[in-house]
Amino acid sequence: MSTPEATETTTDVEATVDRVLDESSTWAVVGLSTNTARAAYGVAGVLQRAGKRIVPVHPSAETVHGEQGYASLADIPFPVDVVDVFVRSELAGAVADEAIAVGAKAVWFQLDVIDEDAAARVRAAGLDMVMDRCPAIELGRRPRD
């Protein structure tokens, strides 16, 4: 299994993680539904408690954590900073391409979501790319104020 370090140094990856966490406020969470047993639900809650606005993206377009859901990234009527991807690796490339198309600033593939070709496309488009990481874990590793 390939890791982000295969194409970037660990220092580069850490700098990208920090930049995305520090400089983003609106996170479209692809795969987020009202299913509390799913990782996306818990991670979205952590992001919200960290001061991020979460935007659920799921075919059912449900309201989650008090935020209106949308069926697709293209349906969101305002800019998003990060597209956080909770789908299987074989579906992640299409989501990455949609993130580029809607003008997101970054794409974040969750743990075990790996698509090196998609990551290369995202970086080539000038977006930040984080792969095979969890923002909730990364936020938890940060020193508390």
Side-chain angles (χ1 to χ4, degrees):
M1 174 164 44
S2 185
T3 64
E5 287 77 11
T7 55
E8 292 183 296
T9 68
T10 300
T11 302
D12 292 340
V13 172
E14 297 304 325
T16 301
V17 166
D18 287 342
R19 183 172 49 254
V20 172
L21 291 173
D22 292 342
E23 298 177 6
S24 64
S25 58
T26 305
W27 288 59
V29 184
V30 178
L32 176 57
S33 71
T34 57
N35 184 343
T36 60
R38 302 296 301 231
Y41 189 90
V43 171
V46 170
L47 288 168
Q48 224 177 23
R49 288 189 295 279
K52 309 299 184 186
R53 178 182 184 188
I54 57 110
V55 182
V57 180
H58 190 278
S60 64
E62 298 171 300
T63 296
V64 184
H65 293 298
E67 293 287 347
Q68 170 63 49
Y70 297 90
S72 71
L73 291 173
D75 292 337
I76 301 172
F78 48 84
V80 296
D81 298 318
V82 183
V83 175
D84 190 5
V85 182
F86 278 93
V87 300
R88 294 186 312 269
S89 295
E90 58 267 22
L91 303 175
V95 176
D97 294 338
E98 290 175 42
I100 294 166
V102 301
K105 297 175 186 170
V107 175
W108 191 300
F109 284 1
Q110 281 294 326
L111 292 173
D112 298 324
V113 179
I114 299 169
D115 183 331
E116 294 289 352
D117 292 337
R121 291 193 306 275
V122 167
R123 290 183 187 107
L127 284 66
D128 281 324
M129 177 72 215
V130 178
M131 185 164 51
D132 195 24
R133 298 272 186 121
C134 176
I137 292 170
E138 299 302 329
L139 284 166
R141 289 183 177 149
R142 294 177 143 211
R144 301 208 194 279
D145 293 328

